[in-house]
Amino acid sequence: MSFEELRIIQVDNDCLFCRIVAGEIPATVVYETETTLAFRDIDPKAPVHILVIPRAHHADVAALAAADPALAADVLAAAGAVAEAEGLSADGYRLIFNTGRFGGQEVFHVHGHVVGGSPLGPMLSIA
Ligand code: AMP
Ligand code: ZN
């Protein structure tokens, strides 16, 4: 199956991040591969705040890992590449997958938050 066919099959028009993947909603893309996309968070919580997603729709990181472990690995590798490209690797950064309601997940297309650029403290928030 070609990449284009895969994209058409797996775009969910009700999903905000699927619409970003499809180019229907603009985003500031900083990194992309055949299977992943990374773009700046619209409401950054740190000097660098980038979202890394698989192009294919999976609701959360557990669902992604269960359905397609190779794609989960692609997302982790993309997060590392983004951190390197943004100059975060030397001082460190945080990679967060909010999961479910109690985890604060608002967009149910799995995304890793790459946050850094300043000291983040022991936790972002447990409030
Ligand atoms: P979460 O709460 O883990 O589901 O994170 C969702 C993230 O998506 C939040 O940090 C939002 O600021 C971010 N967000 C929402 N809409 C957009 C958008 N159109 N472009 C970029 N980031 C967005
Ligand atoms: Zn989606």
Side-chain angles (χ1 to χ4, degrees):
M1 186 183 292
S2 73
F3 165 64
E4 205 53 26
E5 287 170 317
L6 192 70
R7 185 180 74 77
I8 290 163
I9 287 168
Q10 300 195 338
V11 165
D12 174 350
N13 279 322
D14 294 330
C15 171
L16 174 63
F17 289 173
C18 280
R19 295 188 69 189
I20 287 177
V21 169
E24 295 171 8
I25 293 176
T28 305
V29 173
V30 297
Y31 182 80
E32 57 184 318
T33 67
E34 192 172 324
T35 59
T36 69
L37 191 67
F39 51 92
R40 295 199 189 280
D41 195 292
I42 203 166
D43 180 20
K45 312 296 190 302
V48 177
H49 187 170
I50 293 165
L51 303 177
V52 181
I53 68 171
R55 291 180 186 272
H57 182 91
H58 297 273
D60 61 33
V61 71
L64 169 63
D68 194 340
L71 183 56
D74 288 352
V75 171
L76 294 180
V82 164
E84 187 69 34
E86 293 288 322
L88 303 180
S89 296
D91 287 326
Y93 57 96
R94 191 165 285 150
L95 175 57
I96 303 164
F97 289 88
N98 292 330
T99 304
R101 187 164 62 92
F102 277 18
Q105 187 176 3
E106 292 179 345
V107 178
F108 285 82
H109 180 132
V110 58
H111 50 282
H113 297 252
V114 175
V115 286
S118 64
L120 299 169
M123 291 272 285
L124 283 182
S125 166
I126 54 170

